[in-house]
Amino acid sequence: MLVEDSQAARALLSKKYAHCPLKKRPVLVREERPATPPTTPPHPAHLATRLYYDYHCDTENDEPENLSTKPEDLSRTGNYPSKATSPVATEIIKAEPKEWPQQLEYLAACRARLEPAPTELARPTPQYAYLPTLYPTYPLEELYPAVPALSPPAHPQLYTRYSPASPPSSCSPPPCPEDLRSPGSVSSDSGVSVSASRRPRYQCPDCAKSYSTYSGLSKHQQYHCAAAEGSLARKSFSCKYCAKVYTSLGALKMHIRTHTLPCKCHLCGKAFSRPWLLQGHIRTHTGEKPFSCHHCRRAFADRSNLRAHLQTHSDVKKYSCTGCGKTFSRMSLLSKHLEGGCGAPGNSPYEYRSDAIPTTHTHQQLPPPATVHAY
DNA sequence: CTGGGGAAGGGGCCC
DNA sequence: GGGGCCCCTTCCCCA
């Protein structure tokens, strides 16, 4: 359960985050402090390793602890992780008095015991150069089946305008080595895997939307189908924290996680609704960056961020202004461009350039409806 | 001001 | 049904 800490904090949030969507606002919860904070902060490598193996979703205690977006300055707050549940973490903590070089060696030994030898070590980024690079990175050939040239597209004239009324099936670019999807997840234009597209489809009787799996249909009916939600025949489950209503208990349980945030980071206390969100967050502490750009060798912790970065290597960006023809790597940049007053006429609906270096080939990745969002 | 990186949230799909 | 993973999107921050 969320526990709002103080009126002052609420006032701060309402002021500083008033413009911010709900999902981006920090959640105010009661802070847990260890009884006796350590006199010296643990070495970052310690914390990284401890977290890497010791994080878990706290299903026993729903209350998240903290809520800052940035890693907390532990030396200031003294709010260090108070428990270490894995043997390795315990050993590491015991090893604290060692000299740092010895500790790093010790960390390496611990990790080597726990995980198979990585095929390739990720390159540490400068700010985390002190961390042992013991995590495996994704083989380049897996991310980039064939190293592409960055030459301009063969058919730059093949622009496709996206309109909400006609979903841009033609927008899907041809297969490209820049595709960052994992092997086996090849998708057709419809966003359904190629192999799956040959299988029978499962159609929602309420809204006629079809899915490749029964599981997909089931979840659609649980979470998203407005038609189903409108059905009086269905039992409804309402959230006790907000006004949302779901058609199944499972859906409600999933939703409630967004309130209870059971997955807590043991370093900074930030809480998340899903374990993989926590995993991604922990990378911000460990410096793990398994996704590297094969153009500049820059590494990223998040695949999507690498995908966005790849756009910067492209001469022809994905989003273009219909008025002046300037292209942008991100929709937000195009939006700013339009807001800034591109004088050219007809610049309201922007174009999606199918000739730009693609990121994925699914229609979901295409830009939103023609009306550009105003932030 | 612009462009880019970091971080995070939600939906869809597969196992 | 739940977990895990992937993808897309959005926002903040900084050079």
Side-chain angles (χ1 to χ4, degrees):
Chain A
M1 179 186 298
L2 300 180
V3 180
E4 295 198 352
D5 210 12
S6 70
Q7 209 158 9
R10 280 196 298 274
L12 174 67
L13 278 188
S14 63
K15 211 171 171 184
K16 189 169 183 179
Y17 295 90
H19 66 287
C20 190
L22 186 60
K23 76 173 188 176
K24 287 288 186 180
R25 297 179 193 175
V27 181
L28 291 174
V29 295
R30 183 169 298 146
E31 187 178 349
E32 292 178 15
R33 293 180 181 277
T36 54
T39 53
T40 57
H43 189 273
H46 269 188
L47 297 172
T49 305
R50 193 185 305 175
L51 284 164
Y52 195 81
Y53 293 108
D54 196 32
Y55 79 83
H56 67 282
C57 287
D58 188 351
T59 54
E60 298 162 2
N61 180 9
D62 281 341
E63 295 190 29
E65 295 169 349
N66 164 10
L67 328 151
S68 62
T69 303
K70 295 290 184 183
E72 192 175 355
D73 183 354
L74 299 180
S75 61
R76 201 147 34 100
T77 64
N79 188 19
Y80 301 107
S82 56
K83 55 182 176 181
T85 55
S86 78
V88 168
T90 305
E91 286 186 55
I92 289 169
I93 293 171
K94 286 178 182 172
E96 214 134 28
K98 290 180 180 180
E99 297 299 323
W100 294 126
Q102 292 173 322
Q103 289 178 358
L104 291 178
E105 287 179 19
Y106 186 67
L107 281 171
C110 289
R111 284 191 173 182
R113 286 212 317 268
L114 282 180
E115 56 183 26
T119 54
E120 183 184 347
L121 298 182
R123 289 162 287 280
T125 47
Q127 66 268 34
Y128 294 103
Y130 51 80
L131 288 175
T133 56
L134 295 166
Y135 38 82
T137 187
Y138 289 73
L140 277 181
E141 53 272 22
E142 187 175 310
L143 286 173
Y144 320 104
V147 176
L150 281 178
S151 56
H155 304 288
Q157 72 277 18
L158 295 178
Y159 301 160
T160 305
R161 180 184 290 270
Y162 173 64
S163 75
S166 56
S169 61
S170 60
C171 286
S172 301
C176 174
E178 300 271 3
D179 186 0
L180 292 174
R181 288 166 303 168
S182 62
S185 61
V186 177
S187 294
S188 66
D189 288 347
S190 63
V192 178
S193 77
V194 170
S195 58
S197 66
R198 300 194 188 99
R199 294 186 222 135
R201 305 283 297 179
Y202 298 88
Q203 195 169 40
C204 175
D206 296 306
C207 68
K209 196 172 179 181
S210 67
Y211 292 84
S212 59
T213 63
Y214 180 76
S215 174
L217 170 60
S218 178
K219 288 189 177 179
H220 157 76
Q221 290 177 314
Q222 284 179 358
Y223 297 99
H224 319 297
C225 185
E229 285 180 4
S231 170
L232 295 176
R234 293 174 185 272
K235 189 175 180 181
S236 63
F237 298 85
S238 59
C239 175
K240 64 179 177 180
Y241 302 112
C242 68
K244 288 195 174 177
V245 178
Y246 295 86
T247 56
S248 78
L249 185 58
L252 176 60
K253 280 181 178 177
M254 179 76 84
H255 165 74
I256 284 179
R257 291 176 69 93
T258 66
H259 291 294
T260 60
L261 303 176
C263 305
K264 286 190 289 186
C265 174
H266 282 198
L267 178 55
C268 68
K270 187 168 168 58
F272 300 85
S273 60
R274 301 192 225 177
W276 57 265
L277 279 173
L278 174 58
Q279 252 178 322
H281 166 77
I282 285 177
R283 285 194 185 131
T284 68
H285 292 305
T286 64
E288 180 188 6
K289 296 188 174 183
F291 306 99
S292 57
C293 174
H294 67 295
H295 295 303
C296 64
R297 317 304 292 180
R298 182 170 182 146
F300 297 84
D302 186 275
R303 194 193 300 260
S304 293
N305 288 339
L306 167 59
R307 203 171 282 122
H309 165 80
L310 284 172
Q311 280 284 305
T312 68
H313 289 295
S314 173
D315 291 333
V316 181
K317 306 295 194 299
K318 215 167 105 179
Y319 303 99
S320 68
C321 174
T322 57
C324 65
K326 190 175 180 182
T327 62
F328 300 87
S329 59
R330 302 177 184 209
M331 185 183 62
S332 57
L333 296 176
L334 172 60
S335 300
K336 285 181 182 176
H337 168 74
L338 293 174
E339 286 171 5
C342 174
N347 60 1
S348 178
Y350 58 82
E351 287 180 348
Y352 170 74
R353 303 184 63 121
S354 60
D355 55 317
I357 286 183
T359 52
T360 66
H361 307 148
T362 63
H363 70 279
Q364 297 170 340
Q365 185 262 339
L366 294 171
T371 304
V372 175
H373 297 280
Y375 298 146

